[in-house]
């Protein structure tokens, strides 16, 4: 039985007079899960790849599932397939024996055990949706997760149907010299007519979403890895010929990830070959297909002159993430798509840990929390709010969200905190031991962790169904006479309206904390009734009730409380404390994350006050405490350059807006611009000194000290350039001219864009002339202009949408301009004229028929429309209605728009 009956065709057009409401969508619910009525043991596929029509021959060994109804028909998923023939056990079926609609093929009467053969035709060259089998730069490739395999052949396209695959590809030898699929290559040879073939066999049973093939003219950068048990694995990075000199970093990243998973989790790779293919047209970042990852080229290709430090780090992370899926996702997979966080939350957690081990744990953690707060907290307080294990969906592709990924990872992180590293490892070992080769649920995962540790994780399980960002309220009292210090913790449901305030069940929340004496030293942490203080300067309190009080003894002077060290739970902290207490934490907290967080809170308060001043038309005056605090950070010899840069980067306008009932678009922008300039003026001396001290001393190197140096160098440049004086602008111009690497070049250009005028035009023209033939670098050119704060950014973006190099056909290019603008540039996207909204909506309408998945992501820029003033609300609402009324709107975009309009 098919789990996800797709929708036949998009809804018919709505009459002009009717309210512009999308038709009720087909909802898939978690509670409706039924095991499949048939299993598939073996799959044999033969692809005849051709310029016009490609043919897919499928042979499936099927058997009725034990316990399934004896008369149940076979219902296969299939979309956009031209059926040529269907046969059971060698007998071709007549048309009366089966029925095909837009989403399924139903065969009424089938034996209990049988072989099904189908032949279908598809047209990969016309596939603009980029799921299923499609073409990119003239090469064939696939993307099957979540439900793309049904666009290739008729199948039980659901993750709990796991089968062994043998795949033969046949294609023209000259145009497609390279033929790849999952597993090991077992045969290859010539065919008549200038064609050739290759056969691949994957010994590991897998769900269809992990199927992949690639055919094209590609070059290979190869390497090797020897596993802990001594098996030699061949590693291959496949790219278009001109990119062969940009693969080494990806290869090294893969080797590091393989070693790390052995050392940290005892997990070895299981095939003799691991291939990664880089393609230019890809909806997502990368895909973990068994033995044959397919990547957005952005997350593979790196050369110092084309990729920034951030790009290098992102590549390492994404390569590791897809590699880690081999165990968390492939060997143990999801029973159904509601369990997505089982593999994605867990694998994000693993790639975070890996990144922390490879670079700086503090910097990694800060970046994660920043991403969580910016994207996930916003999602959790808007119309797309959902639990990390959603209860329902219309289009699964819409649920690859910050919540499932980032909050999902935080939930695993809390388990690690509660169980400790050794306990967590025991739990993971038991999980793999119990479930290797199975399709399982989040509950199975939690049970393995609980059983391995003899712990009750029942209450903890509520994190899987909880919606919205919970509030952690903290209040303290101190009695100097008795030396008692009381910390009262309370949990409250999310602040966001409609998130189910009344019904919120009590969560199990780990709160890592410490106490600081007025001199900044850490205090011993001993609770009343305990014989001694707990070891170390941090302890984890477990909040399980609605409110709990923790009474510490031996606290003579009023301490500063450091709460949520390392951001031990994905909550919003409500703890009113003085600016002085924040300043104390900022300077002395032993936890680097908590230091940074205290600084961000201080800056946020200053910015929000200034925003109020700006809105009220009062004069803006910089708070000296912020200047002093930033000056101290700059001068602190204990902090590396990356940490200084993070500490001195003010909270972005989107995060600030989350702390207002109605986002004050202009006020926030003015306040932030003002503080940047005020800090730059006040700290000019140290900033100039730092800029020259951190100047490059040799050729580019991608080492941690060099990355730290560049980050601080470019942070200083950014502040100085904000002054706009000739000397500072000259620094940016010189850096842009002299840079031997993309980090320094891009940051200099970003500064020139803010400065505006002739230096901006010259810089942009030069960058464009140099990189126009390099799609990934040209994307940066679009993005830098789209995220700029310069007053004429909206005009720019409107013009860039008509630039000859702009195209909606390539997802990276679309995102470089439009997602950057709509999702990252709060001030200009929300221009009071509404022209930003108009542009985005126009492009969504234009893109939706070709690539609904990317269109649905873009349209989510309107999700928080209720958080703005009435004029902006009306303008966004009108655009949403216009999109909703579009004839033939895709299921993907329709779902997002419908939720936004509810
Ligand atoms: N399995 C996903 C890729 C995917 C997502 C395919 C949605 C189809 C639909 C992959 O493992 C993934 O999560 N990729 C991320 C990057 C990762 C480092 C978080 C992506 O593509 O953004
Ligand atoms: Zn993933």
């Amino acid at each position: 039985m098919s789990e996800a009956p797709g929708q036949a065709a998009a809804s018919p057009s709505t009459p002009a007079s009717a309210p512009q409401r999308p038709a009720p969508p087909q909802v898939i619910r978690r509670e409706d899960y039924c095991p499949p009525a048939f299993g598939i043991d073996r799959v044999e596929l033969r692809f005849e790849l051709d310029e016009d029509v490609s043919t897919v021959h499928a042979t499936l060994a099927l058997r009725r599932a034990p316990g399934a109804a004896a008369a149940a028909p076979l219902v296969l998923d299939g979309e956009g397939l031209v059926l040529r023939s269907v046969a059971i056990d060698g007998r071709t079926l007549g048309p009366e024996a089966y029925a095909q609609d837009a989403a399924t093929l139903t065969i009424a009467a089938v034996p209990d055990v049988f072989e099904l053969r189908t032949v279908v035709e598809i047209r990969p060259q016309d596939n603009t949706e980029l799921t299923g089998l499609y073409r990119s730069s003239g090469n064939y490739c696939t993307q099957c997760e979540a439900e793309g395999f049904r666009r290739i052949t008729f199948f039980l396209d659901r993750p709990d149907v796991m089968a062994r695959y043998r795949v033969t590809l046949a294609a023209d030898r000259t145009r497609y010299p390279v033929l790849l699929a999952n597993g090991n290559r077992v045969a290859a040879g010539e065919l008549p007519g200038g064609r050739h073939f290759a056969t691949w066999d994957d010994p590991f049973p897998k769900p269809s979403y992990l199927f992949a093939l690639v055919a094209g003219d590609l070059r290979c950068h190869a390497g090797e890895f020897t596993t802990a048990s001594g098996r030699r694995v061949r590693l291959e990075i496949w790219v278009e010929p001109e990119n062969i000199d940009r693969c080494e970093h990806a290869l090294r990243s893969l080797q590091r990830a393989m070693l790390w998973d052995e050392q940290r989790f005892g997990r070895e790779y299981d095939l003799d070959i691991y291939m990664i293919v880089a393609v230019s047209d890809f909806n997502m970042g990368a895909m973990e297909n068994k033995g044959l990852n397919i990547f957005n080229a952005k997350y593979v290709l790196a050369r110092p002159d084309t990729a920034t430090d951030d790009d290098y780090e992102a590549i390492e992370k994404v390569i590791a993430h897809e590699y880690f899926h081999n165990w968390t996702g492939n060997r143990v997979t999801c029973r159904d798509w509601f369990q997505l966080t089982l593999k994605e939350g867990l694998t994000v957690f693993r790639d975070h840990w890996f990144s922390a081990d490879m670079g700086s744990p503090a910097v990694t953690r800060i970046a994660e929390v920043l991403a969580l707060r910016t994207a996930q907290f916003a999602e959790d307080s808007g119309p797309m709010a959902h639990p990390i294990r959603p209860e329902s969906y219309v289009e699964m592709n819409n649920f690859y969200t910050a919540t499932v990924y980032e909050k999902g990872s935080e939930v695993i992180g809390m388990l690690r905190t509660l169980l400790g590293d050794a306990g967590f490892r025991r739990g993971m070992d038991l999980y793999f031991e119990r479930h290797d080769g199975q399709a399982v649920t989040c509950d199975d995962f939690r049970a393995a962790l609980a059983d391995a540790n003899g712990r009750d994780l029942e209450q903890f399980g509520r994190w899987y169904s909880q919606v919205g960002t919970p509030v952690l309220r903290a209040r303290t009292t101190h009695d100097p006479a008795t030396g008692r210090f009381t910390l009262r913790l309370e949990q409250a449901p999310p602040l966001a309206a409609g998130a189910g305030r009344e019904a919120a069940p009590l969560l199990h929340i780990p709160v890592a904390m410490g106490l600081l004496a007025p001199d900044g030293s850490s205090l011993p942490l001993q609770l009343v009734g305990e014989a001694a203080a707990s070891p170390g300067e941090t302890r984890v309190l477990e909040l399980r009730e609605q409110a709990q009080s923790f009474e510490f003894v031996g606290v003579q002077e009023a301490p500063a409380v450091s709460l949520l060290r390392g951001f031990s739970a994905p909550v919003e902290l409500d703890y009113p404390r003085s600016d002085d207490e924040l300043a104390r934490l900022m300077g002395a907290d032993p936890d680097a994350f908590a230091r940074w967080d205290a600084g961000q809170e201080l800056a946020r308060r200053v910015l929000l006050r200034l925003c109020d001043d700006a809105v009220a038309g009062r004069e803006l005056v910089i708070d000296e405490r912020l200047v002093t605090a930033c000056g101290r950070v700059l001068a602190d010899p204990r902090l590396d350059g990356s940490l200084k840069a993070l500490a001195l980067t003010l909270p972005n306008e989107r995060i600030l807006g989350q702390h207002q009932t109605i986002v004050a678009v202009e006020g926030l922008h003015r306040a932030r611009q003002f503080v940047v300039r005020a800090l730059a003026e006040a700290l000019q001396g140290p900033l100039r000194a730092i800029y020259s001290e951190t100047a490059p001393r040799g050729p580019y190197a991608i080492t941690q000290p060099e990355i730290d140096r560049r980050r601080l160098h470019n942070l200083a440049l950014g502040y100085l350039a904000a002054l706009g004086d000739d000397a500072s602008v000259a620094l940016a111009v010189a850096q842009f001219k002299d840079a031997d690497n993309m980090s320094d070049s891009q940051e200099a250009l970003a500064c020139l864009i803010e400065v505006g005028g002739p230096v901006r035009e010259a810089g942009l023209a030069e960058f464009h002339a140099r990189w126009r033939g390099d799609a990934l670098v040209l994307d940066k050119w679009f993005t830098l202009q789209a995220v700029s704060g310069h007053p004429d950014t909206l005009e720019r973006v409107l013009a860039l949408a008509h630039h000859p190099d702009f195209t909606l056909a390539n997802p990276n290019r679309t995102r470089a301009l439009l997602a950057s603008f709509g999702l990252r540039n709060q001030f200009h996207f929300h221009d009071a004229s509404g022209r930003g909204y108009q542009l985005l909506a126009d492009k969504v309408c234009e893109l939706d028929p070709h690539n609904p998945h990317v269109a649905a992501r873009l349209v989510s820029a309107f999700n928080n429309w209720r958080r703005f003033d009435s004029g902006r609300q009306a303008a966004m609402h009108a655009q949403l209605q216009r999109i909703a009324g579009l004839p033939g709107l895709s299921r993907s975009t329709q779902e997002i728009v419908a939720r936004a309009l509810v």
Side-chain angles (χ1 to χ4, degrees):
M1 193 191 65
S2 162
E3 175 189 34
Q7 178 168 295
S11 60
S13 63
T14 327
S17 58
Q20 304 263 295
R21 284 263 162 191
Q26 169 84 57
V27 180
I28 318 292
R29 291 177 206 286
R30 184 169 73 90
E31 65 197 15
D32 292 344
Y33 172 82
C34 288
F38 293 87
I40 305 179
D41 297 318
R42 292 216 45 115
V43 179
E44 270 197 53
L45 300 173
R46 183 181 174 92
F47 289 84
E48 291 287 346
L49 300 171
D50 251 309
E51 303 312 296
D52 183 23
V53 167
S54 294
T55 316
V56 186
H57 303 251
T59 308
L60 315 181
L62 284 138
R63 83 203 124 69
R64 199 177 294 277
L74 175 68
V75 184
L76 298 171
D77 304 296
E79 285 173 12
L81 307 173
V82 176
L83 182 60
R84 279 279 155 257
S85 69
V86 47
I88 285 184
D89 292 331
R91 282 188 308 277
T92 301
L93 303 188
E96 72 293 343
Y98 59 88
Q100 189 188 354
D101 66 19
T104 57
L105 174 67
T106 303
I107 306 174
V110 294
D112 288 345
V113 180
F114 60 103
E115 184 188 274
L116 179 78
R117 301 198 62 168
T118 60
V119 180
V120 301
E121 290 179 358
I122 51 178
R123 301 176 59 88
Q125 68 279 11
D126 297 337
N127 181 349
T128 57
E129 189 175 310
L130 312 186
T131 70
L133 177 62
Y134 67 95
R135 294 182 62 143
S136 175
S137 310
N139 302 318
Y140 291 96
C141 62
T142 53
Q143 171 55 45
C144 292
E145 188 179 2
E147 297 177 335
F149 193 68
R150 63 188 63 186
R151 291 161 52 83
I152 294 175
T153 192
F154 287 105
F155 205 73
L156 294 171
D157 190 13
R158 43 186 289 168
D160 56 356
V161 173
M162 296 171 83
R164 286 185 56 177
Y165 287 66
R166 176 177 282 250
V167 178
T168 298
L169 312 178
D172 182 85
R173 181 185 252 304
T174 325
R175 305 176 74 134
Y176 311 102
V178 177
L179 303 174
L180 311 175
N182 317 82
N184 304 308
R185 199 174 74 158
V186 292
E190 301 296 323
L191 293 169
R195 292 171 71 81
H196 71 145
F197 77 95
T199 301
W200 293 78
D201 186 76
D202 181 356
F204 291 94
K206 63 169 177 286
S208 51
Y209 82 85
L210 291 174
F211 167 83
L213 73 77
V214 169
D217 184 10
L218 300 164
R219 298 287 179 279
C220 165
H221 181 79
E224 213 180 59
F225 182 82
T226 305
T227 67
S229 63
R231 276 190 323 101
R232 279 165 65 157
V233 181
R234 185 173 159 81
L235 311 179
E236 296 182 346
I237 317 274
W238 291 93
V239 297
E240 290 172 39
E242 67 270 24
N243 292 325
I244 194 69
D245 64 343
R246 304 190 195 188
C247 300
E248 183 62 16
H249 177 66
L251 179 64
R252 296 250 171 262
S253 299
L254 176 58
Q255 290 164 329
R256 285 195 286 268
M258 295 178 87
L259 184 62
W260 184 89
D261 213 15
E262 291 184 346
Q263 294 177 338
R264 201 46 105 178
F265 284 98
R267 295 292 129 194
E268 275 190 29
Y269 185 60
D270 49 14
L271 285 164
D272 300 331
I273 182 167
Y274 192 95
M275 296 172 280
I276 292 175
V277 181
V279 303
S280 306
D281 303 277
F282 201 72
N283 284 347
M284 300 289 293
M287 179 62 209
E288 70 266 24
N289 317 300
K290 183 80 186 187
L292 178 58
N293 288 185
I294 298 181
F295 269 59
N296 187 325
K298 178 180 163 65
Y299 295 114
V300 176
L301 306 178
R303 215 174 51 194
D305 60 329
T306 60
T308 63
D309 293 344
D310 289 352
D311 292 332
Y312 274 83
E313 284 184 355
I315 290 166
E316 181 179 68
K317 171 201 158 87
V318 181
I319 296 248
H321 177 99
E322 307 311 338
Y323 174 72
F324 297 152
H325 269 315
N326 192 55
W327 276 96
T328 49
N330 301 5
R331 294 284 293 250
V332 184
T333 195
C334 300
R335 185 193 72 173
D336 56 74
W337 290 119
F338 296 103
Q339 317 297 326
L340 182 63
T341 201
L342 173 82
K343 76 175 177 81
E344 294 302 347
L346 179 55
T347 304
V348 169
F349 168 81
R350 275 150 56 72
D351 84 53
H352 283 174
W353 196 348
F354 168 78
S355 296
D357 283 351
M358 294 300 115
S360 149
V363 170
T364 309
R365 189 62 187 140
I366 291 167
E368 287 157 17
V369 176
L370 205 47
L372 185 81
R373 285 190 180 141
T374 309
Q376 201 277 322
F377 280 21
E379 185 167 271
D380 240 353
S381 67
M384 269 297 286
H386 55 275
I388 63 169
R389 184 187 55 200
E391 296 297 343
S392 68
Y393 61 79
V394 173
E395 167 57 60
M396 188 52 213
N397 272 299
N398 287 334
F399 284 82
Y400 288 75
T401 59
T403 299
V404 168
Y405 275 65
E406 261 63 55
K407 185 173 177 179
S409 163
E410 294 300 318
V411 168
I412 307 289
M414 288 191 284
L415 285 167
R416 175 186 168 192
T417 302
L418 290 170
L419 301 175
D421 281 3
F424 184 74
R425 171 67 192 268
R426 265 197 305 280
M428 289 296 294
D429 287 350
L430 182 60
Y431 172 65
F432 293 127
E433 189 189 314
R434 273 188 188 168
H435 299 300
D436 188 10
Q438 298 177 5
V440 305
T441 65
C442 298
D443 290 336
D444 294 323
F445 175 79
R446 195 161 42 86
L449 265 60
D451 294 349
N453 290 281
R455 287 275 302 242
D456 177 3
L457 295 174
E458 208 44 45
Q459 186 183 2
F460 188 86
R462 292 176 184 164
W463 279 105
Y464 284 85
S465 37
Q466 177 271 338
V467 186
T469 308
V471 176
L472 175 67
R473 207 169 282 149
R475 297 292 183 271
T476 56
T477 51
H478 179 238
D479 182 358
T482 58
R484 294 224 165 161
F485 178 76
T486 308
L487 170 63
R488 184 184 147 85
L489 296 177
E490 202 183 310
Q491 54 176 307
L495 294 168
R501 289 184 75 77
E502 337 63 46
L506 294 176
L507 297 166
H508 183 177
I509 306 177
V511 182
M513 54 79 63
L515 297 177
L516 295 189
D519 68 356
S521 61
S522 294
L523 290 167
L525 301 168
Q526 184 175 357
L527 291 173
V528 152
E530 288 178 346
S534 62
E537 58 211 3
T538 299
R539 70 185 280 170
V540 177
L541 306 176
E542 296 187 24
L543 179 62
R544 306 180 74 146
E545 312 293 327
Q546 200 266 320
Q548 278 167 252
S549 283
F550 300 89
E551 209 172 322
F552 295 88
V553 297
V555 186
Q556 305 316 331
E557 289 173 277
V561 197
S562 169
L563 272 177
L564 284 179
R565 281 187 169 161
F567 203 61
S568 62
V571 297
E572 186 83 64
L573 181 61
D574 166 16
Y575 178 34
R577 48 189 162 183
S578 68
D579 289 358
D580 288 337
E581 198 172 335
L582 284 175
R584 196 197 300 177
L585 295 172
M586 199 179 161
D589 200 309
D591 182 81
F593 166 80
R595 272 200 311 271
W596 171 81
D597 205 28
Q600 292 290 298
E601 193 175 334
L602 190 66
R604 187 177 82 210
R605 289 183 188 183
V606 170
L607 285 159
L608 291 174
R609 286 194 290 255
L610 284 166
C611 173
D612 290 344
D613 292 341
V615 170
R618 290 188 288 268
E619 192 199 342
L620 304 189
V621 184
I622 186 73
D623 187 324
E624 282 306 321
R625 269 173 306 196
L626 187 63
V627 177
T628 313
C630 290
R632 272 206 210 108
V633 167
L634 278 180
D636 191 338
R638 295 165 307 172
L639 298 178
D640 65 45
S642 293
L643 280 175
K644 286 185 184 182
L646 282 168
L648 287 173
T649 303
L650 300 171
N652 63 48
E653 290 167 37
R654 285 163 295 158
I655 286 195
L656 293 170
Q658 288 174 18
H659 294 269
Q660 300 178 317
T661 336
I662 297 291
V663 180
V665 175
E666 285 97 356
L668 286 178
H669 188 67
R670 271 202 59 205
R672 199 173 182 282
Q673 300 273 72
F674 169 78
V675 173
V676 167
R677 274 186 205 126
L679 287 175
E681 252 161 51
L683 300 170
Q684 248 187 90
L687 284 167
R688 284 193 204 288
I690 283 172
Y691 185 72
S692 53
E693 282 158 20
T694 53
R697 299 209 191 287
Y700 178 84
I702 180 86
T703 59
Q704 198 59 51
E706 279 292 280
I707 294 172
D708 293 341
R709 180 188 62 70
R710 278 190 291 275
R711 294 227 164 102
L712 186 54
H713 190 62
N714 285 311
L715 175 102
L717 182 68
Y719 271 104
L720 292 171
L723 292 171
D725 63 304
D726 291 349
S728 304
V729 173
L731 292 180
V733 171
Q735 177 171 321
F736 182 64
K737 190 163 73 59
D738 298 340
D740 71 345
N741 66 85
M742 185 48 71
S743 292
D744 289 344
S745 171
Q746 175 182 273
E747 291 309 312
L749 182 57
C751 290
L752 298 177
I753 291 173
E754 294 313 305
V755 170
V759 291
R760 164 170 73 167
E761 301 322 319
L764 284 171
E766 193 182 323
F767 195 94
H768 184 267
R770 171 148 184 218
W771 297 114
R772 62 178 314 162
D774 189 312
L776 293 177
V777 185
L778 201 56
D779 288 339
K780 300 180 191 300
W781 185 83
F782 279 97
T783 298
L784 287 174
Q785 298 181 74
V787 300
S788 167
H790 189 279
D792 75 0
T793 292
L794 175 57
E795 304 301 331
R796 264 301 145 131
V797 171
L798 291 168
L800 285 172
H802 298 286
H803 192 280
D805 292 323
F806 182 73
T807 170
L808 290 172
N810 177 265
N812 284 356
R813 188 58 50 83
T814 302
R815 285 185 285 254
L817 182 66
L818 299 172
S820 302
F821 181 60
L823 296 162
R824 289 171 55 191
N825 197 335
Q826 178 163 285
F827 177 63
H828 286 296
F829 174 60
H830 292 281
D831 188 273
S833 70
R835 287 185 308 157
Y837 305 151
Q838 174 86 37
L839 170 72
L840 200 93
D842 286 349
K843 294 300 161 185
V844 167
C845 295
E846 199 179 326
L847 180 57
D848 187 66
H850 303 285
N851 191 329
H853 306 303
V854 175
R857 297 241 156 201
L858 269 192
V859 84
S860 69
F862 292 120
N863 276 357
N864 57 356
W865 65 281
R866 287 181 205 272
R867 311 271 343 280
F868 293 82
D869 57 73
S870 57
R872 289 181 168 94
Q873 279 199 21
M876 280 188 269
H877 187 255
Q879 297 299 345
L880 282 167
Q881 291 230 306
R882 172 161 78 97
I883 298 167
L886 202 71
L889 188 68
S890 71
R891 190 163 50 142
S892 307
T893 303
Q894 188 186 57
E895 179 176 30
I896 304 289
V897 171
R899 287 178 75 128
L901 283 172
V902 165

